[in-house]
Amino acid sequence: MIHAYDKQYLDDAMRNLGEAFDYAANDCGIKLDDFMDVFIAGGLADQFGSGVPKFVSGMSGTELVWEVIERSGWERELPEAEVVYDYSPEYWCGWILAYYQWYTGRSFKNIKQHISMQEILKLYPTLHEAVEDKFVDTINSMIRRNNPPTQLQILRKSIGYSQKTLAEKSGVSLRMIQQYEQRAKDINKAAGVNLIALAQTLGCKVEDLLEQNLDEIEDEVNETVNGT
């Protein structure tokens, strides 16, 4: 598994995103999904998710929220953070989300497309004392249930290749293949040289790798189920 950035920044990233979620929700009264939307829209989520030291360890979680709000142009008065000695469910939500993003290499935008912060928060009672990898497995299972496999994954498995084998034979990086299969990157927008290399390795046409609109896939599944 190729992670999002160097592990040396992970503890700071988890602590700071946890503090940011706690401050945004409990001091500022901002819903976590609303905070994530502006975090992503302002570009900070991409920089944080890439491990840029300024954002993962160079500022506190409170300062991160201030930066997010300032970039968003969202006019609201932000209070000073209160000293809290017990970790809140919102803190855990940010803390574990930072781990999941680092571990999987998914962008925060991609994660948010599949699961809401409110859904993550609901996992607190059962998972807040579990090991981090249990959360990763849980979220991955939830995402798989909500999303059909990609064409790339179907074709790769049909000839018995692992992701690593496909990377070695095609010359396309392992991380890129993982991101295509997770839909963290849109294979329909992939570089032509990557599509050709994958198609030649898998013995298929380039168009066989392209993804249909997910709504169209769902319609096809429904038609099959209903026999229409």
Side-chain angles (χ1 to χ4, degrees), residues 102-116:
W102 168 81
Y103 186 89
T104 63
R106 288 177 179 268
S107 69
F108 284 106
K109 181 179 180 180
N110 178 264
I111 295 169
K112 182 69 162 55
Q113 288 173 337
H114 294 301
I115 190 164
S116 70

Side-chain angles (χ1 to χ4, degrees), residues 39-51:
F39 183 45
I40 293 166
L44 272 173
D46 284 339
Q47 295 179 75
F48 191 99
S50 298

Side-chain angles (χ1 to χ4, degrees), residues 11-205:
D11 286 342
D12 285 343
M14 293 172 70
R15 181 174 57 252
N16 286 346
L17 198 61
E19 183 182 313
F21 271 39
D22 179 76
Y23 173 70
N26 297 317
D27 291 288
C28 303
I30 303 172
K31 293 180 179 179
L32 292 185
D33 281 293
D34 292 341
F35 175 71
M36 276 299 291
D37 287 341
V38 293
F39 183 45
I40 293 166
L44 272 173
D46 284 339
Q47 295 179 75
F48 191 99
S50 298
V52 175
K54 175 182 177 181
F55 300 110
V56 297
S57 60
M59 58 176 61
S60 69
T62 299
E63 291 169 334
L64 181 64
V65 175
W66 291 345
E67 182 75 16
V68 168
I69 298 304
E70 181 179 352
R71 289 195 182 195
S72 73
W74 193 357
E75 296 184 2
R76 61 185 301 150
E77 189 173 335
L78 300 177
E80 292 294 327
E82 296 182 7
V83 178
V84 179
Y85 296 101
D86 292 327
Y87 293 144
S88 67
E90 291 80 10
Y91 179 97
W92 175 82
C93 185
W95 181 84
I96 198 65
L97 178 64
Y99 181 85
Y100 180 80
Q101 188 277 325
W102 168 81
Y103 186 89
T104 63
R106 288 177 179 268
S107 69
F108 284 106
K109 181 179 180 180
N110 178 264
I111 295 169
K112 182 69 162 55
Q113 288 173 337
H114 294 301
I115 190 164
S116 70
M117 299 306 100
Q118 192 61 34
E119 288 174 301
I120 292 177
L121 196 58
K122 288 179 180 178
L123 297 173
Y124 173 80
T126 55
L127 292 180
H128 75 281
E129 293 183 346
V131 296
E132 290 89 342
D133 288 352
K134 177 65 175 177
F135 177 85
V136 172
D137 292 341
T138 300
I139 296 300
N140 284 342
S141 294
M142 292 172 69
I143 290 175
R144 281 195 297 270
R145 285 199 301 270
N146 293 332
N147 295 275
T150 62
Q151 291 297 107
L152 175 60
Q153 183 179 15
I154 292 170
L155 289 165
R156 173 179 64 78
K157 289 187 173 182
S158 71
I159 60 174
Y161 282 177
S162 67
Q163 291 178 332
K164 183 178 179 181
T165 299
L166 179 57
E168 291 172 348
K169 289 182 176 293
S170 67
V172 178
S173 74
L174 174 60
R175 183 175 184 184
M176 190 68 71
I177 290 171
Q178 290 171 338
Q179 290 177 324
Y180 288 149
E181 291 196 1
Q182 293 170 350
R183 294 192 175 92
K185 286 189 179 295
D186 185 354
I187 196 169
N188 292 359
K189 298 178 181 178
V193 63
N194 284 349
L195 289 172
I196 292 171
L198 289 170
Q200 290 177 339
T201 305
L202 294 170
C204 66
K205 299 177 182 178

